[in-house]
Coordinates of all heavy atoms in Angstrom, one line a residue:
T26 N 95.0 113.6 61.3 CA 94.6 113.5 62.6 C 95.1 112.3 63.2 O 95.5 111.3 62.5 CB 93.0 113.5 62.6 OG1 92.7 112.3 62.1 CG2 92.4 114.7 62.1
I27 N 95.3 112.4 64.5 CA 95.8 111.3 65.4 C 94.7 110.5 65.8 O 93.8 111.0 66.5 CB 96.7 111.7 66.4 CG1 97.9 112.7 65.9 CG2 97.2 110.7 67.3 CD1 98.8 113.3 66.9
M28 N 94.8 109.2 65.7 CA 93.8 108.3 66.2 C 94.2 107.8 67.6 O 95.3 107.6 67.9 CB 93.7 107.0 65.3 CG 93.2 107.3 63.9 SD 91.6 107.9 63.8 CE 90.6 106.5 64.4
V29 N 93.3 107.9 68.6 CA 93.6 107.6 69.9 C 92.6 106.4 70.3 O 91.4 106.4 70.0 CB 93.2 108.8 70.9 CG1 93.4 108.4 72.3 CG2 94.0 110.1 70.6
S30 N 93.2 105.4 70.8 CA 92.5 104.1 71.2 C 91.5 104.5 72.3 O 91.6 105.4 73.1 CB 93.4 103.1 71.5 OG 94.0 103.3 72.8
D31 N 90.6 103.5 72.4 CA 89.5 103.6 73.4 C 90.1 103.5 74.8 O 89.8 104.0 75.7 CB 88.4 102.5 73.2 CG 87.6 102.9 72.1 OD1 87.5 104.2 71.6 OD2 86.9 102.0 71.5
N32 N 91.1 102.5 74.9 CA 91.8 102.3 76.2 C 92.4 103.6 76.8 O 92.5 104.0 77.8 CB 92.8 101.4 76.1 CG 92.2 99.8 76.3 OD1 91.1 99.6 76.5 ND2 93.0 98.9 76.0
T33 N 93.1 104.4 75.8 CA 93.7 105.6 76.1 C 92.7 106.6 76.6 O 93.0 107.3 77.4 CB 94.6 106.2 74.9 OG1 95.5 105.1 74.6 CG2 95.3 107.3 75.3
K34 N 91.6 106.8 75.8 CA 90.5 107.6 76.3 C 90.0 107.3 77.7 O 89.8 108.2 78.5 CB 89.4 107.7 75.3 CG 89.8 108.1 73.9 CD 88.7 108.0 73.0 CE 89.0 108.4 71.5 NZ 88.0 108.2 70.6
I35 N 89.7 106.1 77.9 CA 89.2 105.7 79.3 C 90.3 105.8 80.3 O 90.0 106.2 81.4 CB 88.8 104.2 79.2 CG1 87.5 104.0 78.2 CG2 88.4 103.6 80.6 CD1 87.2 102.6 77.9
G36 N 91.5 105.6 79.9 CA 92.7 105.7 81.0 C 92.8 107.2 81.3 O 93.1 107.5 82.5
T37 N 92.7 108.0 80.4 CA 92.8 109.4 80.7 C 91.5 110.0 81.5 O 91.9 110.8 82.5 CB 92.9 110.3 79.3 OG1 93.9 109.8 78.5 CG2 93.0 111.7 79.5
G38 N 90.4 109.4 81.2 CA 89.3 109.9 82.1 C 89.5 109.4 83.5 O 89.2 110.1 84.4
L39 N 90.1 108.1 83.7 CA 90.3 107.6 85.0 C 91.3 108.3 85.8 O 91.3 108.5 87.1 CB 90.5 106.1 84.9 CG 89.4 105.2 84.5 CD1 89.9 103.7 84.5 CD2 88.3 105.3 85.5
L40 N 92.5 108.7 85.0 CA 93.5 109.5 85.6 C 93.0 110.8 86.1 O 93.3 111.3 87.2 CB 94.6 109.8 84.5 CG 95.6 108.8 84.4 CD1 96.6 109.1 83.2 CD2 96.6 108.8 85.6
F41 N 92.1 111.4 85.3 CA 91.5 112.7 85.7 C 90.6 112.5 87.1 O 90.7 113.2 87.9 CB 90.6 113.3 84.6 CG 90.0 114.5 85.0 CD1 90.5 115.7 85.1 CD2 88.5 114.5 85.2 CE1 89.9 116.9 85.5 CE2 87.8 115.6 85.7 CZ 88.5 116.8 85.8
L42 N 89.9 111.4 87.0 CA 88.9 111.2 88.1 C 89.8 110.8 89.3 O 89.5 111.3 90.5 CB 88.0 110.0 87.9 CG 86.8 110.4 87.1 CD1 85.9 109.1 86.8 CD2 85.9 111.4 87.7
G43 N 90.9 110.1 89.1 CA 91.8 109.8 90.3 C 92.4 111.1 90.8 O 92.5 111.2 92.1
C44 N 92.8 112.0 90.0 CA 93.3 113.4 90.5 C 92.2 114.1 91.2 O 92.6 114.7 92.2 CB 93.9 114.1 89.3 SG 95.4 113.4 88.7
V45 N 91.1 114.1 90.7 CA 90.0 114.7 91.5 C 89.7 114.2 92.8 O 89.5 114.9 93.7 CB 88.6 114.6 90.5 CG1 87.4 115.2 91.4 CG2 88.8 115.7 89.3
F46 N 89.6 112.9 92.9 CA 89.3 112.1 94.1 C 90.5 112.4 95.2 O 90.2 112.6 96.3 CB 89.1 110.7 93.9 CG 87.6 110.4 93.7 CD1 87.3 110.1 92.3 CD2 86.6 110.5 94.6 CE1 86.0 109.7 92.0 CE2 85.4 110.2 94.2 CZ 84.9 109.9 93.0
L47 N 91.7 112.4 94.7 CA 92.9 112.7 95.5 C 92.8 114.1 96.0 O 93.1 114.4 97.2 CB 94.3 112.4 94.8 CG 94.6 111.0 94.5 CD1 95.8 111.0 93.6 CD2 94.9 110.3 95.9
F48 N 92.4 115.2 95.2 CA 92.3 116.4 95.5 C 91.2 116.7 96.6 O 91.4 117.4 97.7 CB 92.0 117.3 94.3 CG 91.7 118.8 94.7 CD1 92.8 119.6 95.1 CD2 90.5 119.3 94.6 CE1 92.6 121.0 95.5 CE2 90.3 120.6 95.0 CZ 91.4 121.5 95.4
L49 N 90.0 116.0 96.4 CA 89.0 116.0 97.3 C 89.3 115.4 98.6 O 89.0 115.8 99.7 CB 87.7 115.3 96.7 CG 87.0 116.2 95.6 CD1 85.9 115.3 95.0 CD2 86.5 117.5 96.1
G50 N 90.0 114.3 98.7 CA 90.6 113.7 99.8 C 91.4 114.6 100.7 O 91.3 114.6 101.9
V51 N 92.2 115.3 100.0 CA 93.1 116.2 100.7 C 92.3 117.5 101.2 O 92.4 117.9 102.4 CB 94.3 116.7 99.8 CG1 95.1 117.8 100.5 CG2 95.2 115.6 99.6
L52 N 91.4 117.9 100.4 CA 90.6 119.1 100.7 C 89.6 118.7 101.9 O 89.4 119.6 102.8 CB 89.7 119.4 99.5 CG 88.8 120.7 99.6 CD1 89.8 121.9 99.6 CD2 87.9 120.8 98.5
F53 N 89.2 117.6 102.1 CA 88.3 117.1 103.1 C 89.2 116.5 104.3 O 88.7 115.5 104.9 CB 87.2 116.1 102.7 CG 86.2 116.7 101.8 CD1 85.8 116.2 100.6 CD2 85.5 117.9 102.1 CE1 84.9 116.7 99.8 CE2 84.7 118.6 101.4 CZ 84.3 118.0 100.2
L54 N 90.3 117.1 104.6 CA 91.2 116.7 105.7 C 91.5 115.4 105.7 O 91.5 114.5 106.7 CB 90.4 117.0 107.1 CG 89.9 118.5 107.1 CD1 89.2 118.7 108.5 CD2 91.2 119.5 107.2
F55 N 92.1 114.9 104.5 CA 92.7 113.5 104.3 C 91.7 112.4 104.6 O 92.0 111.5 105.3 CB 94.0 113.4 105.2 CG 95.0 114.3 104.6 CD1 95.3 115.6 105.4 CD2 95.9 114.1 103.6 CE1 96.1 116.4 105.0 CE2 96.8 114.9 103.1 CZ 97.0 116.1 103.8
D56 N 90.5 112.5 103.9 CA 89.5 111.5 104.0 C 90.0 110.2 103.4 O 90.4 110.2 102.3 CB 88.3 111.9 103.4 CG 87.2 111.0 103.4 OD1 86.8 110.4 104.6 OD2 86.5 110.5 102.4
S57 N 90.2 109.1 104.2 CA 90.9 107.9 103.6 C 90.0 107.3 102.5 O 90.7 106.6 101.6 CB 91.1 107.0 104.8 OG 89.9 106.6 105.3
A58 N 88.7 107.2 102.5 CA 88.0 106.6 101.5 C 88.3 107.3 100.1 O 88.4 106.6 99.1 CB 86.4 106.7 101.8
L59 N 88.2 108.7 100.2 CA 88.6 109.4 98.9 C 90.0 109.2 98.5 O 90.1 109.2 97.2 CB 88.2 111.0 99.1 CG 86.8 111.3 99.2 CD1 86.6 112.8 99.5 CD2 86.0 111.0 98.0
L60 N 90.8 109.2 99.4 CA 92.3 109.0 99.0 C 92.6 107.6 98.3 O 93.2 107.4 97.4 CB 93.2 109.2 100.1 CG 93.3 110.6 100.5 CD1 94.1 110.7 102.0 CD2 94.0 111.5 99.6
A61 N 91.9 106.6 99.0 CA 92.0 105.2 98.5 C 91.4 105.1 97.0 O 92.0 104.5 96.1 CB 91.3 104.3 99.4
L62 N 90.2 105.7 96.9 CA 89.6 105.7 95.5 C 90.5 106.4 94.7 O 90.6 105.9 93.4 CB 88.2 106.3 95.6 CG 87.2 106.1 94.5 CD1 87.1 104.6 94.0 CD2 86.0 106.6 94.8
G63 N 91.0 107.5 94.9 CA 91.8 108.3 94.1 C 93.1 107.5 93.5 O 93.5 107.6 92.6
D64 N 93.7 106.8 94.6 CA 94.9 106.0 94.3 C 94.6 104.9 93.3 O 95.3 104.7 92.4 CB 95.4 105.4 95.6 CG 96.1 106.4 96.4 OD1 96.6 107.5 96.0 OD2 96.3 106.0 97.7
L65 N 93.5 104.2 93.5 CA 93.1 103.1 92.8 C 92.9 103.7 91.2 O 93.2 103.1 90.3 CB 92.0 102.3 93.2 CG 92.2 101.4 94.4 CD1 90.9 100.8 94.9 CD2 93.2 100.4 94.1
L66 N 92.1 104.7 91.2 CA 91.7 105.2 89.9 C 92.9 105.8 89.1 O 93.0 105.6 87.8 CB 90.7 106.3 90.1 CG 89.2 105.9 90.4 CD1 88.4 107.2 90.7 CD2 88.7 105.0 89.3
F67 N 93.9 106.4 89.9 CA 95.1 106.9 89.3 C 95.9 105.8 88.7 O 96.4 105.8 87.4 CB 95.9 107.7 90.3 CG 97.1 108.3 89.8 CD1 97.0 109.4 89.0 CD2 98.4 107.6 89.8 CE1 98.1 110.0 88.5 CE2 99.4 108.1 89.3 CZ 99.4 109.4 88.7
L68 N 96.1 104.7 89.4 CA 96.9 103.5 89.0 C 96.3 102.9 87.8 O 96.9 102.4 86.9 CB 97.1 102.6 90.0 CG 98.2 103.0 91.1 CD1 98.2 102.0 92.4 CD2 99.5 103.3 90.5
V69 N 94.9 102.6 87.8 CA 94.3 101.9 86.7 C 94.3 102.8 85.5 O 94.5 102.4 84.3 CB 92.8 101.5 87.1 CG1 92.1 101.1 86.0 CG2 92.8 100.5 88.2
G70 N 94.1 104.1 85.7 CA 94.1 105.2 84.5 C 95.5 105.2 83.9 O 95.6 105.2 82.7
L71 N 96.5 105.2 84.7 CA 97.9 105.1 84.2 C 98.2 104.0 83.4 O 98.7 104.0 82.3 CB 98.9 105.3 85.3 CG 100.4 105.4 84.9 CD1 100.6 106.7 84.3 CD2 101.3 105.2 86.1
T72 N 97.7 102.8 83.9 CA 98.0 101.5 83.2 C 97.2 101.5 81.9 O 97.7 101.1 80.8 CB 97.5 100.4 84.0 OG1 98.2 100.4 85.3 CG2 97.8 99.1 83.4
L73 N 96.1 102.0 81.9 CA 95.3 102.0 80.6 C 95.8 103.1 79.6 O 95.8 102.9 78.4 CB 93.8 102.2 80.9 CG 92.9 101.1 81.4 CD1 91.6 101.5 81.8 CD2 93.0 99.9 80.4
T74 N 96.3 104.1 80.2 CA 96.8 105.2 79.3 C 98.2 104.8 78.6 O 98.2 104.9 77.4 CB 96.9 106.5 80.0 OG1 95.7 106.9 80.6 CG2 97.5 107.6 79.2
I75 N 99.1 104.3 79.3 CA 100.3 104.1 78.6 C 100.7 102.6 78.5 O 101.7 102.3 77.8 CB 101.5 104.7 79.5 CG1 101.7 104.1 80.9 CG2 101.3 106.2 79.7 CD1 102.8 104.5 81.7
G76 N 99.7 101.7 79.0 CA 99.9 100.2 78.8 C 100.6 99.5 79.9 O 101.3 100.2 80.7
V77 N 100.3 98.3 80.0 CA 100.8 97.5 81.1 C 102.4 97.5 81.2 O 103.0 97.6 82.2 CB 100.3 96.0 81.1 CG1 100.9 95.3 82.2 CG2 98.8 96.1 81.2
S78 N 103.0 97.1 79.9 CA 104.5 96.9 79.9 C 105.2 98.2 80.3 O 106.0 98.2 80.9 CB 104.8 96.4 78.6 OG 104.6 97.2 77.6
R79 N 104.7 99.3 79.8 CA 105.4 100.6 80.0 C 105.2 101.1 81.5 O 105.9 101.6 82.0 CB 104.8 101.7 79.1 CG 105.3 101.5 77.7 CD 104.8 102.6 76.7 NE 105.6 103.8 77.0 CZ 105.1 105.0 76.5 NH1 104.2 105.0 75.5 NH2 105.8 106.1 76.8
T80 N 103.9 100.7 82.1 CA 103.7 101.0 83.5 C 104.7 100.2 84.3 O 105.3 100.7 85.4 CB 102.3 100.8 83.9 OG1 101.5 101.4 83.0 CG2 102.0 101.1 85.2
V81 N 104.9 98.9 84.1 CA 105.8 98.1 84.8 C 107.1 98.5 84.6 O 108.0 98.6 85.7 CB 105.6 96.5 84.3 CG1 106.7 95.7 85.0 CG2 104.3 96.0 84.8
R82 N 107.6 98.9 83.5 CA 108.9 99.5 83.2 C 109.2 100.8 84.0 O 110.1 100.9 84.5 CB 109.2 99.7 81.7 CG 110.5 99.8 81.3 CD 110.7 99.8 79.8 NE 109.6 99.5 79.0 CZ 109.2 100.1 77.9 NH1 110.1 100.9 77.4 NH2 108.2 99.7 77.2
F83 N 108.1 101.6 84.1 CA 108.3 102.9 84.7 C 108.4 102.7 86.3 O 109.2 103.3 87.0 CB 107.0 103.8 84.6 CG 107.0 104.9 85.3 CD1 107.7 106.2 84.8 CD2 106.2 105.1 86.5 CE1 107.7 107.3 85.6 CE2 106.2 106.3 87.2 CZ 106.9 107.5 86.7
F84 N 107.7 101.7 86.8 CA 107.7 101.5 88.3 C 108.9 100.5 88.7 O 109.0 100.1 89.9 CB 106.4 100.9 88.8 CG 105.4 102.1 88.9 CD1 104.2 102.1 88.1 CD2 105.4 103.0 89.9 CE1 103.3 103.0 88.3 CE2 104.6 104.1 90.0 CZ 103.5 104.0 89.2
S85 N 109.6 100.0 87.7 CA 110.8 99.0 88.1 C 112.1 99.7 87.8 O 113.0 98.8 87.8 CB 110.4 97.7 87.4 OG 110.6 97.9 86.0
R86 N 112.2 100.9 87.5 CA 113.6 101.5 87.3 C 114.3 101.7 88.6 O 113.7 102.1 89.6 CB 113.3 102.9 86.6 CG 112.8 102.7 85.2 CD 112.8 103.9 84.4 NE 114.0 104.6 84.5 CZ 114.2 105.9 83.9 NH1 113.2 106.4 83.2 NH2 115.5 106.5 84.1
R87 N 115.5 101.3 88.4 CA 116.4 101.3 89.7 C 116.8 102.7 90.2 O 116.8 102.8 91.5 CB 117.8 100.7 89.3 CG 117.7 99.2 89.3 CD 117.6 98.8 90.7 NE 118.3 97.5 91.1 CZ 117.9 96.7 91.8 NH1 116.9 97.0 92.6 NH2 118.5 95.5 92.0
D88 N 116.8 103.8 89.3 CA 117.2 105.0 89.7 C 116.0 105.8 90.4 O 116.2 106.8 91.0 CB 117.7 105.9 88.6 CG 116.7 106.0 87.4 OD1 115.9 105.0 87.2 OD2 116.7 106.9 86.7
R89 N 114.8 105.2 90.3 CA 113.6 105.8 91.1 C 113.1 104.9 92.2 O 112.1 105.1 92.6 CB 112.4 105.9 90.1 CG 112.9 106.8 88.8 CD 111.7 106.8 87.9 NE 112.0 107.6 86.7 CZ 111.2 107.7 85.7 NH1 110.1 107.1 85.7 NH2 111.5 108.5 84.7
I90 N 114.0 104.1 92.7 CA 113.4 103.1 93.7 C 113.0 103.8 95.0 O 112.0 103.3 95.6 CB 114.6 102.0 93.9 CG1 114.0 101.0 94.7 CG2 115.8 102.6 94.8 CD1 113.0 100.0 94.0
R91 N 113.6 104.8 95.5 CA 113.2 105.5 96.7 C 111.8 106.2 96.4 O 110.9 106.1 97.4 CB 114.1 106.6 97.1 CG 115.4 106.0 97.7 CD 116.3 107.0 98.5 NE 116.1 108.4 98.0 CZ 117.1 109.2 97.9 NH1 118.3 108.8 98.1 NH2 116.8 110.5 97.5
G92 N 111.7 106.9 95.3 CA 110.4 107.5 95.0 C 109.2 106.5 94.9 O 108.1 106.7 95.3
I93 N 109.6 105.4 94.3 CA 108.5 104.3 94.0 C 108.1 103.6 95.3 O 107.0 103.4 95.6 CB 109.0 103.3 93.0 CG1 109.3 103.8 91.5 CG2 108.3 102.0 92.9 CD1 110.1 103.1 90.7
A94 N 109.2 103.4 96.2 CA 108.8 102.8 97.6 C 107.9 103.8 98.4 O 107.0 103.3 98.9 CB 110.2 102.6 98.2
A95 N 108.2 105.1 98.2 CA 107.4 106.1 98.9 C 106.0 106.2 98.4 O 105.0 106.2 99.1 CB 108.1 107.5 98.9
F96 N 105.8 106.1 97.0 CA 104.6 106.1 96.4 C 103.7 104.9 96.9 O 102.6 105.1 97.3 CB 104.8 106.1 94.9 CG 103.5 106.1 94.1 CD1 102.7 107.3 94.0 CD2 103.2 104.9 93.4 CE1 101.6 107.3 93.2 CE2 101.9 105.0 92.7 CZ 101.2 106.0 92.6
F97 N 104.3 103.7 96.7 CA 103.4 102.5 97.1 C 103.3 102.4 98.5 O 102.4 101.9 99.2 CB 104.1 101.2 96.5 CG 103.8 101.2 95.0 CD1 104.9 101.2 94.1 CD2 102.6 100.9 94.6 CE1 104.6 101.1 92.7 CE2 102.3 100.7 93.2 CZ 103.3 100.9 92.3
G98 N 104.4 102.9 99.4 CA 104.1 102.9 100.7 C 103.0 103.7 101.2 O 102.2 103.5 102.1
G99 N 102.8 105.0 100.5 CA 101.7 105.8 100.8 C 100.4 105.2 100.4 O 99.4 105.4 101.2
I100 N 100.3 104.4 99.3 CA 99.2 103.8 98.9 C 98.8 102.8 99.9 O 97.7 102.6 100.4 CB 99.3 103.2 97.5 CG1 99.3 104.4 96.5 CG2 98.2 102.4 97.2 CD1 99.6 103.9 95.1
F101 N 99.8 102.0 100.5 CA 99.5 101.0 101.3 C 99.0 101.6 102.8 O 98.1 101.0 103.3 CB 100.9 100.2 101.7 CG 100.7 99.2 102.8 CD1 100.1 98.0 102.5 CD2 101.3 99.4 104.0 CE1 100.0 97.1 103.6 CE2 101.1 98.4 105.0 CZ 100.5 97.2 104.8
L102 N 99.6 102.7 103.2 CA 99.1 103.3 104.4 C 97.6 103.9 104.1 O 96.8 103.7 105.1 CB 100.0 104.5 104.7 CG 101.3 104.1 105.3 CD1 102.2 105.4 105.6 CD2 101.3 103.3 106.6
V103 N 97.3 104.4 103.0 CA 96.0 104.9 102.8 C 95.1 103.7 102.7 O 93.9 103.7 103.3 CB 95.8 105.6 101.5 CG1 94.4 105.8 101.0 CG2 96.5 107.0 101.6
M104 N 95.4 102.6 102.1 CA 94.4 101.3 102.1 C 94.3 100.8 103.5 O 93.3 100.2 103.7 CB 95.2 100.3 101.2 CG 95.2 100.7 99.7 SD 93.5 100.9 99.1 CE 93.8 101.7 97.5
C105 N 95.3 100.8 104.3 CA 95.1 100.4 105.7 C 94.3 101.4 106.6 O 94.1 101.0 107.8 CB 96.5 100.1 106.2 SG 97.4 98.7 105.6
R106 N 94.0 102.5 105.9 CA 93.3 103.6 106.7 C 94.1 104.1 107.9 O 93.5 104.3 108.9 CB 91.9 103.1 107.1 CG 91.1 102.9 105.9 CD 89.7 102.4 106.3 NE 88.9 102.1 105.1 CZ 88.0 102.9 104.6 NH1 88.0 104.2 104.8 NH2 87.4 102.6 103.5
W107 N 95.2 104.3 107.8 CA 96.1 104.8 108.9 C 96.3 106.3 108.8 O 96.6 106.9 107.8 CB 97.4 104.0 108.9 CG 98.2 104.4 110.2 CD1 97.8 104.5 111.4 CD2 99.6 104.5 110.3 NE1 98.7 104.7 112.3 CE2 99.9 104.7 111.7 CE3 100.6 104.5 109.4 CZ2 101.1 105.0 112.2 CZ3 101.8 104.6 109.9 CH2 102.2 104.9 111.2

């Protein structure tokens, strides 16, 4: 059997909750509070699931710079409630 660390289990749960809150935010006509909570939970869950160094490496790749800028730009707009 494969042993899964507690951080990975918690991270997977937070990723799931982040996706649920993002879905509910879109379902309720782009409710900014639900979208912001979903964004935060998704990022924290991703970091806990794959680790800090792999998360930083994932978000700092040169070939994905446009997508990463759009991702964080969207998070910034949601946090500003625009």
